[in-house]
Amino acid sequence: DTAVSQTPKYLVTQMGNDKSIKCEQNLGHDTMYWYKQDSKKFLKIMFSYNNKELIINETVPNRFSPKSPDKAHLNLHINSLELGDSAVYFCASSPPPGRTTIEQYFGPGTRLTVT
Amino acid sequence: GQNIDQPTEMTATEGAIVQINCTYQTSGFNGLFWYQQHAGEAPTFLSYNVLDGLEEKGRFSSFLSRSKGYSYLLLKELQMKDSASYLCAVRDRNQGGKLIFGQGTELSVKP
């Protein structure tokens, strides 16, 4: 009965590689997000999709490309990984506007380590 | 632009009360959220304020003053398990409704 799930939980890879992180939510939410949390615990939004459509695209390198095959899934592909990409990446989802609850629900996170 | 400030660290004693403050500046304020994050885990929702005043939920309460750009999270009857990072986040309607997070306050509860 997991609400927001991410795979993998841990990812260790070398500089220059390409990797993907997958996210799925079974809450029936329309909006999904990707956040990056760095070593200083600062949580910053990267992308947001609503019903498979990109609505927020922060200043993120083009090496990061989100893909939403349907509104329950939002994957993150990262090309040419760099040391500075090492962080914890959180997926989140939230219900559509007008609902009584509007908080975001976070996945367990993917700890990415680039060596 | 947006700016959210909260203390980096706080320490309190088990059984006591602690207040974590958050000040913010944003152009399109549309709600303030508090999240709790234990080490190595995901943030979990604690409270939401969009109107001025106090919202109480068990041992946790959150207060908002929109005119002052100020909120606080009040934790009563502290327990050891309350040791965590507490994140203040503001929703901005002028930026697609995204949440802007503060850096978090690391709370240590000591016996």
Side-chain angles (χ1 to χ4, degrees), chain B residues 44-65:
Chain B
T44 55
F45 170 76
L46 288 178
S47 69
Y48 169 66
N49 296 69
V50 67
L51 300 176
D52 291 350
L54 189 69
E55 292 284 339
E56 297 185 79
K57 196 186 281 188
R59 294 189 300 115
F60 293 3
S61 304
S62 57
F63 172 82
L64 174 68
S65 169

Side-chain angles (χ1 to χ4, degrees), chain A residues 9 33 35 37 40-45 48 55-56 58 90 94 97 100 102-109 111, chain B residues 4 30 33 35 37 39-45 48 85 87 91 95-104 106:
Chain A
K9 189 165 174 63
Y33 312 81
Y35 286 87
Q37 188 169 45
K40 294 184 179 179
K41 304 285 184 70
F42 193 54
L43 193 63
K44 190 169 183 182
I45 191 165
S48 174
I55 58 172
I56 294 175
E58 292 296 293
F90 286 100
S94 64
T100 54
I102 63 170
E103 69 268 23
Q104 294 182 14
Y105 293 78
F106 285 80
R111 182 173 294 276
Chain B
I4 299 178
N30 192 22
F33 296 78
Y35 280 81
Q37 187 178 24
E41 297 183 10
T44 55
F45 170 76
Y48 169 66
S85 184
L87 309 175
R91 187 177 167 114
Q95 298 200 41
K98 72 177 184 182
L99 286 187
I100 302 150
F101 281 83
Q103 68 179 57
E106 193 70 38

Side-chain angles (χ1 to χ4, degrees), chain A residues 6-106:
Chain A
Q6 294 178 228
T7 54
K9 189 165 174 63
Y10 299 96
L11 185 53
V12 181
T13 188
Q14 292 184 325
M15 283 175 57
N17 284 348
D18 303 339
K19 290 293 180 185
S20 292
I21 307 172
K22 295 186 176 182
C23 177
E24 176 181 2
Q25 54 94 4
N26 62 6
L27 296 166
H29 290 168
D30 287 350
T31 308
M32 296 184 71
Y33 312 81
W34 275 111
Y35 286 87
K36 178 181 180 181
Q37 188 169 45
D38 59 26
S39 57
K40 294 184 179 179
K41 304 285 184 70
F42 193 54
L43 193 63
K44 190 169 183 182
I45 191 165
M46 301 173 69
F47 302 102
S48 174
Y49 271 73
N50 184 269
N51 263 322
K52 303 192 298 177
E53 184 179 337
L54 180 66
I55 58 172
I56 294 175
N57 185 353
E58 292 296 293
T59 307
V60 176
N62 291 338
R63 299 182 295 103
F64 290 80
S65 53
K67 279 189 173 55
S68 182
D70 55 63
K71 74 174 192 176
H73 295 84
L74 181 61
N75 304 322
L76 183 65
H77 189 75
I78 315 171
N79 289 327
S80 304
L81 278 155
E82 300 178 357
L83 292 176
D85 297 334
S86 295
V88 181
Y89 291 84
F90 286 100
C91 176
S93 71
S94 64
R99 294 278 184 93
T100 54
T101 57
I102 63 170
E103 69 268 23
Q104 294 182 14
Y105 293 78
F106 285 80

